[in-house]
Amino acid sequence: EAQLVESGGGLVRPGGSLRLSCAASELTFSNHAMNWVRQAPGKGLEWISYISGRNTTIYYADSVKGRFTISRDNSKNLLFLHMNSLKAEDTAVYYCATSFIDAFHIWGQGTMVTVSS
Amino acid sequence: SYELTQPPSVSVSPGQTARITCSGDALSDQYTYWYQQRPGQAPVLLIFKDDERPSGIPERFSGSTSGTTVTLTISGVQAEDEADYYCQSADSSGSYVFGSGTKVTVL
């Protein structure tokens, strides 16, 4: 069964940086577009970034554009989210998810990022 | 991007039908997707392309659309259906948007 496992979350000070990883297994990773979706405590889901299977297309939500960078290593079945200039409002559970025809099919269990001094 | 509007909460008795609406200007031109999220868990895709069910999703979950409003219907609600439900769509710029979410309470 296909599985996604996020890691790299933790406590970081405002203005700091963090890199999240998402490890994929039991799927042909390069065939899947990937996304990061976050959920602030007690709040709804927010899509933040997309990367196509072959790395040719990338999109960001306005809330993270210029601060976050999505990337992938298809040789290692890994997805990344590099987060810079972190703010308190970036505090959330971060999920990676596959997408196909605009739907998010497979989700990881999420990793918590807390931005606080 | 644009907004998708959902009611904050819906309450329903076991065995009854719950209907959750999602409204947005672009929904007449874009497919809508629905997700269920139980407390402490990741979301699960329930409905794709307005009204199709992925394999493994019970038949009591169905989707429909009318103009700029789409509806998720849960027929014969069970206690395990108590969860948050989100609609989601895409816009022409490549962005995705989620609805605000609806908490379904089974009385």
Side-chain angles (χ1 to χ4, degrees):
Chain A
E1 182 178 335
Q3 188 176 16
L4 301 174
V5 178
E6 301 93 338
S7 61
L11 175 64
V12 61
R13 296 190 184 279
S17 299
L18 207 58
R19 187 185 80 163
L20 305 183
S21 300
C22 169
S25 58
E26 303 301 323
L27 75 162
T28 305
F29 186 62
S30 59
N31 287 350
H32 291 267
M34 297 295 298
N35 299 263
W36 289 98
V37 177
R38 69 184 180 184
Q39 186 170 35
K43 303 296 184 181
L45 301 171
E46 179 189 15
W47 169 84
I48 58 172
S49 190
Y50 162 98
I51 185 168
S52 60
R54 298 294 180 181
N55 225 347
T56 54
T57 303
I58 288 175
Y59 298 117
Y60 298 99
D62 289 343
S63 58
V64 305
K65 198 174 296 182
R67 300 188 300 123
F68 290 10
T69 302
I70 192 171
S71 62
R72 63 191 298 161
D73 184 339
N74 286 345
S75 69
K76 297 181 180 178
N77 290 358
L78 289 171
L79 173 73
F80 302 104
L81 185 68
H82 302 257
M83 304 186 294
N84 296 321
S85 304
L86 283 161
K87 308 173 183 178
E89 51 263 43
D90 295 318
T91 294
V93 174
Y94 284 73
Y95 296 99
C96 59
T98 65
S99 62
F100 179 69
I101 314 180
D102 295 337
F104 302 102
H105 288 261
I106 305 168
W107 296 70
Q109 86 290 349
T111 187
M112 182 71 202
V113 172
T114 302
V115 183
S116 175
S117 56
Chain B
S1 61
Y2 60 97
E3 292 185 357
L4 298 178
T5 302
Q6 298 180 234
S9 62
V10 168
S11 297
V12 59
S13 299
Q16 299 302 303
T17 296
R19 293 181 179 84
I20 304 166
T21 57
C22 173
S23 300
D25 289 343
L27 292 185
S28 57
D29 301 322
Q30 298 283 350
Y31 284 123
T32 307
Y33 307 85
W34 289 96
Y35 302 85
Q36 177 193 65
Q37 186 180 33
R38 294 192 174 106
Q41 296 186 19
V44 172
L45 179 65
L46 284 181
I47 298 288
F48 66 99
K49 291 173 67 177
D50 293 341
D51 57 10
E52 299 189 41
R53 267 189 319 276
S55 61
I57 299 300
E59 291 184 8
R60 65 179 183 274
F61 293 96
S62 63
S64 61
T65 180
S66 177
T68 58
T69 298
V70 295
T71 302
L72 173 69
T73 300
I74 312 174
S75 304
V77 166
Q78 301 181 6
E80 66 195 49
D81 299 332
E82 187 160 288
D84 294 326
Y85 293 82
Y86 295 90
C87 60
Q88 173 252 315
S89 191
D91 70 18
S92 56
S93 69
S95 297
Y96 297 116
V97 60
F98 287 94
S100 45
T102 298
K103 180 177 181 59
V104 170
T105 300
V106 181
L107 301 171

